[in-house]
Amino acid sequence: MLETFEKYRDDLSRAEAWRSDRVSCIPHYHTGVEIVYVLEGRVSAIIGGRALTADAGQAIVSGSYTVHAYGEEKAPAIVAIIPPCETPALQKRLIAGRFVNPVFSDEDDRLKQMMQLLLSEQEDAVVRAGLSAAVLGFAMRKAGFETMAGDDKGGLMAQVLRYLSENYAQPLSVEHMAAHFGYSRSRFSHLFKANIGVSVPRYINILRCRDAAEALLNTDLPVVDIAINAGFNNTHTFYTAFRELYHMTPGEYVKTGRS
């Protein structure tokens, strides 16, 4: 299932690490640095508008406020999100900069060992802080790190995603979005697709379907009300978008989620 963690991850006050058998999420961003260490197989990603792949023994790093997304391949990995506040000495640099080469290799397994330790020792605040600094320092050296220019397209896309996350239930169009951010329709569509990996309407439908999916499982509202509340004009459009995203009808989704 597709997931996005924008607000929750932005509220993190400490590093978190976990093992995942499938690293998959729609485009999102947060202040924390996100590192995915691929244990087996291959993971595809879009980091700051760049389509990338990482194989076993490689890591993908996404910096503060960098828009990123992952594909749907089944590939075991260790994932860590390290908020800037976990490493005060690096905080300003992390927020103001970006990783030059988001995918890099770990030839001698040093990063793998640090990630595994972070995974197992994250409840110890002192050890967690030390490991977080070590992991970030290693990633900054291996991937390269530089200060971003003021007119950064990644920053623009972070603003766009924040706007959409707050307004997806309202009537929206590509024309409206382009005008709001000061671009022509064609230029805005191109920038969005290049950085996010999907079209503006597709991304809006993803947000609306996720809202509806939560309501289907947690409320007793009629489907038509759920669809309208999420921003769809009618149930036909809702059913089409929902099946495209979840590969099942809303009714089947409820049975699966409540079984």
Side-chain angles (χ1 to χ4, degrees), residues 225-259:
D225 290 343
I226 288 175
I228 296 301
N229 290 343
F232 289 100
N233 292 327
N234 53 66
T235 53
H236 175 73
T237 304
F238 167 58
Y239 272 85
T240 300
F242 197 93
R243 285 194 66 120
E244 182 180 356
L245 181 61
Y246 290 104
H247 308 293
M248 63 181 78
T249 66
E252 292 168 338
Y253 181 86
V254 171
K255 290 179 181 178
T256 301
R258 292 180 176 171
S259 61

Side-chain angles (χ1 to χ4, degrees), residues 93-113:
R93 287 188 66 195
L94 291 172
I95 292 175
R98 73 179 185 92
F99 292 89
V100 179
N101 300 301
V103 175
F104 60 91
S105 298
D106 179 34
E107 295 86 356
D108 53 10
D109 287 344
R110 275 190 289 173
L111 180 60
K112 179 181 180 180
Q113 293 170 15

